[in-house]
Amino acid sequence: MGYSVLMIGWPKESGWATYERPTLFGQCPYPEHAMAPVYERKRDMKALNNCCRVFIQGSDQLFNNQLYHAFGKIITLDWVYNYKTKIAYAISFGHDYERMRPELWGPDYDRAEMAHFMQQFDAFSVREDSARYITKNHFGVDAEWVLDPVFLCKRSTFEELAASGNSELPKRPYLFSYVLDPDFSKGKILHQCADKLGLSLRVVPDGEFTREKVESSWDIDTLSNVTIEQWIAHIRSADFIITDSFHGTCLSIIFRKNFIAIANPIRGITRFESLLGLFGLENRMVRDFQEISNCPELLEPIDYSNVEVILEHEVNRCQKWLRSAIEKNKVAPLSTFDLLDIRGDALEANAKSHIMDTEKRIDVRLNDMERNMNNCISGISQSIESHIADLDESLNIKMQKLEQEFFSLQKELIHSQQEQTSLKNSVSYRLGRSLTWLPRKMRGELRCLRNNGISYTWRNLIKGIRK
C-alpha cells in the first residue's frame, strides 16, 4: 500500500516472554527500522504516538480474556491517543459465543473495560463471521468480516521465504502434516493416508515439542524446531497436507494444495468453519482424526477454480476496506481519558523527580553524617590509642619498680634466712636453749594448769617425764 511500517510488540511488564527480534525465522526478513524496541511498561509505549499516524491491532485470538491479560492489556490500544487513527484488522476471540469457555470469556469488568476502548476504534474488523455477533452484542461495536491477513500478502512473498527453507525437504513426493498435538492414534491415521496416496510422510510438530517428546508420541519421520522458511517450504512442496493448524490451512489454500483440516475444539473450531465456509471447502474439515478413516473422499483433489474467484474478490474487498480505514482523514481531540492519562504521567514524572531530588538530598545528608561520624570515630580512636599508650608506659614503669622492690625483698629474705641458720648453729644459741629449758617447761605447765586443771596437767607431766 506504500506505507512505512513499524511493528510493535508487547511490554516486558506483561509477563509473557518478550523478544527484541523475531526468533522463528532462519533469517529475519524485516529491516531494522521496521521493528520497534521492546518497552518496559505499557505506559512507556505512549512514546510511539510521536512517530506513528495510524495504529493497527493485528489478527489472531488476542481478544480472548486469557491473551488480553497475557499481553498486558495492550490490544485495545488504550495507550494510543484519541486523535490517532485506530484500526482493528481481523481480530479474533477464537470461539463463537456459544462455545466460549469461561476462562476465555472473562469477568464482566474486563468485558466492560475492553468495550470502552474498543468503541474508540475508527474501524473494526473480525476474522470470524460469528465474531460480529460478539462485538455487536457484548462490546457495542459494529465489525466488518475480513480475511486473515496472510491472504493479503502476495503469494510471491511466501515463495521467496520458502526458497531459503528447502534444505530439509524429503527427496520423494510426500504427505505433509503440521500437527499441533501429536499422539500415536493420529500417527496411525497419517500412515494410512500416506499409504493410500502412495506418498512418503513428513511431519512438523508445534514449536513447543522437542524431538524427544515427539519421538515418544509416534514413529513418524518428524522434523522439529523448524524455521518459518522451512515450514512454508514444506507446505509449498507437499503433494497433500493434513493439519490441525488454522494457519497451516490458510497456507494450504494459498498454495492451492489438497488438504484436510482437523478442527480443534480446544484451540477453536469457529475460525475453521468461517474460513472454509467462505470458500465452499467445508467438506475438507473434520472434527477428529478418526473421521478421516471413514471419509475416503477427503483424499480426492480439490477443484480450486471457484476458490480462486472467491479469494480474489475477498482479497480486493479486504484491501479496499483496510486502505479506506488507513486513508481516512481523522480530526479529533484528546479524549478525557487521554487528558487524565497525560496528567497522570505528568504527576508521575513530578513525583519521580521529587523522589530523585529527595534521594539526592538524603544521600548528601547521609554522606555528611558518615563523614562526621568517621571524623568523630577517628578522633576518639586516636584519643583512646594515646591514652592506652600513656597507661602502658605508666604500667611499665610501675612494673619495673615492683620488680626492683621484689628483688630487694627477696635478697633481704635470703639474708635473714642465712642469719637465722647461722644463729641456730652457734654454741651460744644451743647453750641458751639448754639453760632456758626448765623455765620454758614450767611456764608451759603453768599455762596448762590454768587452762585444763591439775588432774590433766599432772597426767600430762608424768607422760612427758616417761618419754
Side-chain angles (χ1 to χ4, degrees):
M1 292 185 179
Y3 294 100
S4 60
V5 175
L6 182 66
M7 292 183 292
I8 303 168
W10 54 93
K12 295 179 181 178
E13 71 173 357
S14 68
W16 195 286
T18 57
Y19 307 96
E20 293 290 340
R21 296 296 178 264
T23 59
L24 297 180
F25 289 96
Q27 183 175 0
C28 181
Y30 310 119
E32 193 69 23
H33 63 79
M35 295 177 285
V38 176
Y39 290 88
E40 288 291 334
R41 306 178 305 163
K42 181 171 71 170
R43 298 185 71 86
D44 301 331
M45 295 173 65
K46 286 185 285 188
L48 294 166
N49 285 281
N50 298 322
C51 56
C52 298
R53 182 181 69 85
V54 177
F55 290 81
I56 302 177
Q57 175 55 56
S59 182
D60 221 342
Q61 303 183 40
L62 301 180
F63 277 70
N64 77 52
N65 193 259
Q66 284 183 333
L67 294 181
Y68 173 62
H69 285 279
F71 289 103
K73 296 184 176 182
I74 68 166
I75 53 103
T76 52
L77 303 186
D78 59 318
W79 47 277
V80 177
Y81 294 146
N82 190 56
Y83 66 89
K84 299 291 184 177
T85 299
K86 302 180 186 182
I87 302 170
Y89 185 82
I91 70 98
S92 173
F93 297 94
H95 302 261
D96 56 30
Y97 180 70
E98 287 75 15
R99 288 180 286 202
M100 185 78 75
R101 302 195 306 276
E103 67 271 18
L104 300 180
W105 190 235
D108 290 340
Y109 176 86
D110 285 351
R111 289 200 301 278
E113 180 182 52
M114 292 174 67
H116 173 80
F117 294 111
M118 287 167 64
Q119 292 171 18
Q120 312 307 312
F121 278 70
D122 301 285
F124 208 97
S125 62
V126 293
R127 189 176 67 184
E128 290 82 39
D129 186 25
S130 62
R132 290 190 293 177
Y133 172 86
I134 296 175
T135 58
K136 175 67 175 177
N137 292 281
H138 296 279
F139 296 95
V141 175
D142 289 318
E144 182 82 4
W145 177 29
V146 295
L147 291 173
D148 188 277
V150 296
F151 289 103
L152 273 58
C153 187
K154 293 180 179 179
R155 177 172 169 173
S156 59
T157 302
F158 294 113
E159 294 280 4
E160 291 174 6
L161 288 171
S164 60
N166 289 328
S167 59
E168 299 291 338
L169 292 177
K171 304 302 181 184
R172 296 172 48 210
Y174 62 96
L175 183 156
F176 176 66
S177 182
Y178 175 56
V179 181
L180 301 179
D181 303 297
D183 59 45
F184 276 106
S185 63
K186 294 176 184 178
K188 182 178 179 180
I189 294 171
L190 290 175
H191 272 301
Q192 292 173 354
C193 292
D195 292 342
K196 289 179 181 179
L197 293 167
L199 300 173
S200 61
L201 179 60
R202 168 61 63 84
V203 176
V204 169
D206 193 22
E208 68 183 57
F209 285 87
T210 63
R211 186 178 185 85
E212 294 75 15
K213 188 175 181 180
V214 171
E215 289 177 349
S216 67
S217 299
W218 54 26
D219 55 346
I220 296 178
D221 177 18
T222 303
L223 189 65
S224 301
N225 301 317
V226 299
T227 63
I228 293 293
E229 296 93 330
Q230 291 173 322
W231 179 69
I232 296 175
H234 275 82
I235 294 175
R236 182 198 62 175
S237 300
D239 290 84
F240 199 96
I241 296 172
I242 298 177
T243 182
D244 59 358
S245 158
F246 174 75
H247 285 103
T249 302
C250 292
L251 266 292
S252 298
I253 295 173
I254 289 172
F255 285 114
R256 312 299 193 264
K257 295 296 178 180
N258 296 314
F259 70 89
I260 300 172
I262 298 94
N264 188 319
I266 301 299
R267 295 178 182 265
I269 293 178
T270 305
R271 49 196 178 150
F272 288 94
E273 293 174 336
S274 185
L275 175 69
L276 298 177
L278 174 65
F279 294 121
L281 296 173
E282 303 98 320
N283 61 339
R284 309 303 297 189
M285 183 186 78
V286 296
R287 296 173 183 268
D288 187 273
F289 261 82
Q290 301 296 331
E291 291 184 41
I292 299 176
S293 302
N294 302 323
C295 301
E297 65 274 13
L298 289 170
L299 300 179
E300 296 296 322
I302 297 173
D303 180 3
Y304 270 99
S305 56
N306 191 50
V307 174
E308 290 177 348
V309 173
I310 297 172
L311 180 58
E312 182 180 4
H313 174 268
E314 288 299 316
V315 168
N316 290 333
R317 179 182 67 84
C318 295
Q319 287 180 338
K320 182 179 179 180
W321 182 89
L322 183 58
R323 184 183 295 276
S324 175
I326 293 173
E327 293 178 350
K328 183 179 179 181
N329 185 26
K330 181 179 182 180
V331 178
L334 288 168
S335 66
T336 302
F337 176 84
D338 292 337
L339 292 170
L340 290 174
D341 201 39
I342 292 170
R343 180 61 61 87
D345 288 342
L347 290 173
E348 182 183 22
N350 289 335
K352 284 184 177 179
S353 177
H354 180 70
I355 291 171
M356 290 177 63
D357 290 341
T358 303
E359 288 177 345
K360 288 180 181 178
R361 290 197 297 271
I362 291 174
D363 287 341
V364 171
R365 186 68 178 273
L366 288 174
N367 289 334
D368 290 342
M369 292 175 65
E370 183 179 9
R371 187 166 49 253
N372 293 336
M373 180 91 57
N374 289 336
N375 291 337
C376 181
I377 291 173
S378 177
I380 293 173
S381 177
Q382 291 176 359
S383 176
I384 291 174
E385 289 176 358
S386 176
H387 187 60
I388 289 174
D390 292 342
L391 289 175
D392 193 40
E393 182 179 0
S394 175
L395 183 61
N396 287 336
I397 293 173
K398 289 183 179 181
M399 286 296 293
Q400 289 176 1
K401 288 182 179 179
L402 288 173
E403 287 177 356
Q404 291 174 359
E405 292 178 1
F406 174 76
F407 289 136
S408 176
L409 289 173
Q410 191 176 36
K411 288 180 181 179
E412 290 180 4
L413 177 61
I414 292 172
H415 180 70
S416 297
Q417 289 175 343
Q418 289 175 348
E419 286 183 347
Q420 184 179 11
T421 302
S422 177
L423 179 61
K424 287 181 178 180
N425 293 333
S426 65
V427 175
S428 58
Y429 177 78
R430 288 196 296 271
L431 179 61
R433 292 285 292 179
S434 300
L435 293 176
T436 59
W437 177 81
L438 182 59
R440 284 186 283 109
K441 188 66 174 176
M442 290 177 65
R443 187 172 57 230
E445 294 301 328
L446 289 172
R447 188 181 301 112
C448 183
L449 179 63
R450 284 196 303 271
N451 294 333
N452 302 304
I454 190 168
S455 298
Y456 176 82
T457 302
W458 178 254
R459 286 195 304 273
N460 190 50
L461 179 62
I462 298 299
K463 188 185 297 183
I465 294 174
R466 287 177 179 173
K467 289 181 178 179

